[in-house]
Amino acid sequence: MALSCRGPASRPTMKARRGREAPGDVERNMVSAVSEGFELRHESTPLIPLLRQLVQSLSLIRILARKDFYVRYRRASFGLLWAIGLPLVQATVLAFVLSRITRLHAPIAQAVFIYSGILPWNTFSTGLQSGTNSIVDNTAVATRIYFPRAVFPIVVVLSGFYGLIPGVVVLVVMHLVLGGSVGPEIVLLLPAIGLCFMLTTSFALVLSALQVYFRDIKHILAAITLPWFWASGVFFQPESLGRVGRWFKWDPAVGMIQLFRAALGAGGRDWVAAVWIAVGWSVGLTAIAVLVHRRYDRVFVDLL
Amino acid sequence: MTFALKLGDVGKRYLKYEDVPLLLTRLRFRARTNRTDLWALKHVDLEAAPGDHLGVIGRNGSGKSTMLRILAGVTAPTEGFVSVKGRVAPLISVGVGFHPELTGRENVYVNGTILGLSRRELDRRFDQIVEFAELESFIDTPVKFYSSGMFVRLGFSVAVASRPDLLLVDEVLAVGDMAFQSKCFERMAQMKVDGTTIVLVSHNINAIRRTCTQVLVLHDGIPKFFGPTDEAISIYHNLVEATGDEIAGETADAGGSEFLALNLINSEGDPTNHVRSGEDVIFRFDGRFSRPVTDPDFTIRITTETGQLVYGTSSYGKASGHFAAGESMRFDVRLNCRLITGSYQAIVGIRVADEGWQAVPPMLDFFVSGKPLVKGVADLDASIEITRGVPGDEDGQATHEPATDEPATDEPATD
């Protein structure tokens, strides 16, 4: 993490990123959302300027996401290891417990099977939870300086992906170590990460806006997260449930998880349909998010 | 004429808190909405040219913060339009966007990015930022260990380093120490030359007088006056005195006592909100007990507008006697008002038996106009005497000729 980039960094973990900023990158980001002034006549924001400002806020999103991720693990001795280690521990425990109770119809090693589900699920559900509260949590900044409010949920979702990426590497290694083989379908990991990001972001964009107006959303979400976890296909392939299984593919989390598994050659029969359904969810929610943010972007603050 | 910011007939309506829809009321089939409009601002017209320094003054709740939000583009007006040209940097409240776990250095980068600076610009201006904030030796310390003064210094430093076209300044500057404050004012004067428009929102009349050429007086969201600073300040003072009486009509219950009035009486015996430094004044609290009490204690606290306690005392240990239910009482605090120029708040409290202190709302806002050259919080009324030669120090005695032609001055030649 290079939140700072000159002089002695206070901790060794902070050095990494200096070299990765291409010079052109910086120049391109010179113009930021707040640099050009504004003119407001209505409470709603026209779509094009809103999107333009969002694009101009990309460097802001990046630095805030890095800060968010970094702050989360700063005071922990093992730092980043927690981001990878926690889902690993969860997967191991669940694989162990479940293998005692029932037989999973897993085409690959059970631990790998569960880990490949838990990894995207954790990113998704934590992204949803922190994303939902992101605008409300940032009241102090939001009431004082303007940049598109969509930045807040995007930032927290993105910061979760700093943990997902190394987790995916661990997943592949684990798969190979436990006797799995890797074919050309491994490239599906890229769209899998992309889908996970799209889905989480679109949910977070809508929920964060709703949370400003209806403070119940956070609690409702917390209540449904656990049942959703068990229904999300972390432990099963939908088709292994017989006729009931058909309904599960409408759950966007199932499509997302199945795409990760498809990359390891364990997608099952119906994964393509499930993936398209998840894509549909993302597109639909993004459309709703655009409408909501277009209308309320400049007045969220009034209720903070 | 080119303008830096322009507000045309701006109005801002808020929903009152109790009218904010809850999920259930929204879902209910026949949702009854008894909306009460709360206009925080109404009919505000304002225009400023690049380099103008505007002040906005008004009592609490007069729409100042809404004004800032609109100028920052954080909220959109309900009616009218607002147009701001160029980069806006808000300098509102202490260390907004600073994360306590991050070091000063990291926060400079995060905060600078929020203010619209690129990484390269920040690299280039970093030393300058740290130097101006005088935080060279603390820059790698997490800001949670910073004092509030250090917070403000860093915040101001980053904000001005972003070379904004419009700088919005809230009460923050009152927090830093005097030396830093002067430095900030100097910097703002320099920014004026560079064409930066500054809007200072404050009830620190001194800061307004020192910085602004034009001042907008807001009262209940409506602009009462927009024009030259001195005129605006006197209008503001009149408004405050007028509304001070309204407040006295309210009642509040605390510790079984009922609030009747809290007044500041000047040396001529008249109630006022504006006293001179060194004047003998009385803070007079009138109240009534709703139940019988024995030996109630009274306390008074005087704070600066930033909440710093200047003075507090109580009648603890003084037998005040027995009060029957419904009996009224008067609590007079006489003191010599040795405060420097500024606005202050007085708040009184009552303690009945061992029930703990109860603050009696509302507070009294008052202003003190002090002597020039006095700094700090209290005017200790020093007299300065300068004589030549120190007894016993033979070498230091002027021997050639007695230097009597230069009169000794009793004012230090600083600032």
Side-chain angles (χ1 to χ4, degrees):
Chain A
M1 295 301 295
L3 291 169
S4 75
C5 47
R6 8 163 84 218
S10 52
R11 285 185 55 155
T13 46
M14 299 220 17
K15 283 179 189 157
R17 276 192 63 103
R18 169 80 192 192
R20 290 172 57 184
E21 209 89 298
D25 202 12
V26 177
E27 288 304 325
R28 212 165 351 104
N29 292 325
M30 288 282 272
V31 188
S32 112
V34 282
S35 63
E36 54 190 38
F38 57 88
E39 180 161 340
L40 302 174
R41 285 175 186 278
H42 310 282
E43 290 192 344
S44 60
T45 323
L47 186 59
I48 301 298
L50 183 63
L51 291 179
R52 198 179 57 225
Q53 285 187 321
L54 196 58
V55 170
Q56 285 166 350
S57 305
L58 284 181
S59 65
L60 175 64
I61 291 175
R62 221 177 35 218
I63 196 162
L64 287 181
R66 236 152 49 202
K67 178 197 89 164
D68 204 55
F69 179 74
Y70 177 64
V71 162
R72 204 179 303 167
Y73 298 107
R74 165 156 227 175
R75 305 272 303 158
S77 319
F78 293 102
L80 179 61
L81 277 182
W82 284 117
I84 308 163
L86 210 57
L88 209 54
V89 172
Q90 283 174 307
T92 315
V93 171
L94 284 167
F96 178 76
V97 173
L98 286 170
S99 64
R100 300 278 140 156
I101 307 171
T102 173
R103 221 169 63 81
L104 296 174
H105 301 273
I108 49 175
Q110 277 191 15
V112 178
F113 183 78
I114 293 179
Y115 186 56
S116 66
I118 281 198
L119 199 61
W121 170 262
N122 272 4
T123 311
F124 175 71
S125 70
T126 45
L128 245 59
Q129 243 144 34
S130 44
T132 299
N133 242 12
S134 58
I135 297 181
V136 176
D137 279 347
N138 281 293
T139 301
V141 176
T143 52
R144 275 148 190 134
I145 186 156
Y146 175 77
F147 41 81
R149 272 52 182 116
V151 165
F152 294 118
I154 294 175
V155 161
V156 281
V157 171
L158 187 62
S159 84
F161 278 73
Y162 286 112
L164 178 71
I165 310 290
V168 168
V169 175
V170 172
L171 173 69
V172 175
V173 172
M174 193 168 146
H175 178 58
L176 292 172
V177 167
L178 294 179
S181 58
V182 165
E185 66 275 8
I186 194 77
V187 295
L188 287 176
L189 280 176
L190 288 178
I193 292 169
L195 177 60
C196 184
F197 182 73
M198 264 177 61
L199 195 63
T200 317
T201 308
S202 59
F203 265 103
L205 281 172
V206 173
L207 292 176
S208 60
L210 288 177
Q211 172 70 10
V212 174
Y213 289 88
F214 309 112
R215 303 291 168 105
D216 304 61
I217 298 293
K218 179 176 78 166
H219 304 291
I220 295 174
L221 183 72
I224 63 171
T225 299
L226 190 61
W228 196 356
F229 171 64
W230 290 97
S232 64
V234 170
F235 311 109
F236 58 84
Q237 305 274 46
E239 63 256 32
S240 65
L241 298 181
R243 288 185 52 190
V244 197
R246 282 186 313 187
W247 297 104
F248 280 93
K249 67 169 185 273
W250 295 99
D251 175 354
V254 168
M256 170 183 80
I257 290 172
Q258 291 302 85
L259 189 52
F260 274 88
R261 287 186 179 147
L264 301 177
R269 279 197 309 275
D270 233 4
W271 68 270
V272 178
V275 167
W276 282 115
I277 288 168
V279 171
W281 273 89
S282 317
V283 173
L285 284 167
T286 306
I288 295 173
V290 166
L291 290 178
V292 175
H293 281 263
R294 203 186 81 87
R295 170 65 185 85
Y296 293 109
D297 183 63
R298 292 273 185 178
V299 287
F300 280 133
V301 157
D302 297 352
L303 285 177
L304 291 180
Chain B
M1 183 181 112
T2 56
F3 62 91
L5 66 92
K6 195 171 188 174
L7 269 63
D9 196 27
V10 163
K12 178 70 191 176
R13 184 182 59 203
Y14 288 121
L15 278 181
K16 272 166 79 176
Y17 193 70
E18 58 263 40
D19 296 325
V20 171
L22 295 173
L23 193 54
L24 263 183
T25 51
R26 261 297 153 88
L27 293 178
R28 221 167 49 193
F29 182 58
R30 285 183 311 127
R32 267 195 319 138
T33 44
N34 47 348
R35 276 193 172 187
T36 340
D37 292 343
L38 187 81
W39 287 90
L41 284 180
K42 203 91 165 104
H43 307 307
V44 180
D45 290 292
L46 196 64
E47 186 170 328
D52 276 0
H53 283 193
L54 296 186
V56 178
I57 51 180
R59 293 179 54 90
N60 291 337
S62 58
K64 297 198 299 289
S65 338
T66 307
M67 185 80 183
L68 269 182
R69 287 181 176 194
I70 285 187
L71 288 174
V74 152
T75 188
T78 313
E79 37 173 65
F81 74 94
V82 52
S83 177
V84 171
K85 289 193 174 154
R87 171 141 67 194
V88 184
L91 182 64
I92 310 167
S93 284
V94 181
V96 166
F98 279 2
H99 194 288
E101 287 287 348
L102 298 179
T103 65
R105 177 189 304 276
E106 292 155 0
N107 270 309
V108 166
Y109 277 88
V110 172
N111 218 1
T113 313
I114 292 178
L115 290 173
L117 285 172
S118 72
R119 172 76 136 267
R120 179 173 290 184
E121 287 170 303
L122 278 163
D123 281 344
R124 212 175 319 124
R125 296 177 196 170
F126 186 82
D127 291 332
Q128 195 188 323
I129 291 172
V130 177
E131 193 196 321
F132 188 82
E134 301 165 21
L135 285 170
E136 288 90 343
S137 41
F138 293 99
I139 199 64
D140 287 311
T141 309
V143 299
K144 64 179 170 185
F145 298 118
Y146 280 22
S147 68
S148 53
M150 290 158 87
F151 248 83
V152 177
R153 264 148 52 194
L154 196 58
F156 183 85
S157 210
V158 179
V160 296
S162 72
R163 313 238 170 100
D165 300 292
L166 171 61
L167 181 70
L168 304 174
V169 186
D170 199 351
E171 302 291 358
V172 278
L173 283 185
V175 180
D177 58 62
M178 280 292 179
F180 187 72
Q181 274 187 37
S182 325
K183 212 165 136 183
C184 292
F185 284 119
E186 270 164 38
R187 184 58 172 266
M188 291 199 284
Q190 179 57 43
M191 292 172 88
K192 184 186 176 75
V193 178
D194 299 340
T196 300
T197 310
I198 296 182
V199 177
L200 181 66
V201 175
S202 181
H203 23 233
N204 182 342
I205 301 301
N206 262 342
I208 297 270
R209 187 173 277 142
R210 190 163 170 182
T211 323
C212 307
T213 42
Q214 300 265 304
V215 174
L216 172 74
V217 184
L218 282 175
H219 186 64
D220 290 338
I222 296 162
K224 283 281 173 198
F225 178 80
F226 179 58
T229 307
D230 286 328
E231 213 172 321
I233 289 175
S234 76
I235 286 173
Y236 172 57
H237 278 184
N238 291 341
L239 275 174
V240 169
E241 295 201 10
T243 44
D245 295 337
E246 284 168 33
I247 290 170
E250 295 172 22
T251 58
D253 188 80
S257 64
E258 195 186 335
F259 174 83
L260 295 177
L262 174 59
N263 282 310
L264 175 60
I265 317 280
N266 65 15
S267 51
E268 274 109 54
D270 302 319
T272 181
N273 287 80
H274 194 164
V275 295
R276 281 172 292 106
S277 182
E279 194 173 341
D280 286 311
V281 299
I282 305 173
F283 288 93
R284 172 164 294 167
F285 170 67
D286 292 330
R288 186 187 293 127
F289 288 106
S290 54
R291 54 189 167 87
V293 291
T294 309
D295 289 343
D297 295 324
F298 298 92
T299 181
I300 184 162
R301 293 161 61 89
I302 297 172
T303 59
T304 64
E305 60 190 346
T306 54
Q308 189 196 349
L309 178 64
V310 176
Y311 181 69
T313 185
S314 82
S315 66
Y316 183 71
K318 258 197 178 102
S320 45
H322 181 81
F323 290 86
E327 193 174 351
S328 61
M329 40 106 181
R330 172 163 284 182
F331 169 49
D332 273 353
V333 183
R334 285 161 208 277
L335 52 86
N336 184 274
C337 188
R338 292 188 175 175
L339 295 168
I340 65 146
T341 310
S343 44
Y344 298 85
Q345 268 185 340
I347 182 165
V348 291
I350 296 179
R351 185 172 64 173
V352 178
D354 288 316
E355 292 172 24
W357 289 106
Q358 303 274 350
V360 181
M363 306 158 217
L364 173 80
D365 290 308
F366 65 100
F367 307 93
V368 177
S369 29
K371 285 172 262 181
L373 298 178
V374 175
K375 294 183 174 179
V377 201
D379 183 353
L380 300 181
D381 199 22
S383 62
I384 297 170
E385 207 175 293
I386 300 173
T387 49
R388 284 177 191 280
V390 178
D393 176 18
E394 302 302 328
D395 301 340
Q397 303 280 356
T399 43
H400 338 292
E401 51 181 302
T404 45
D405 41 327
E406 280 178 49
T409 171
D410 61 352
E411 276 183 354
T414 49
D415 298 56

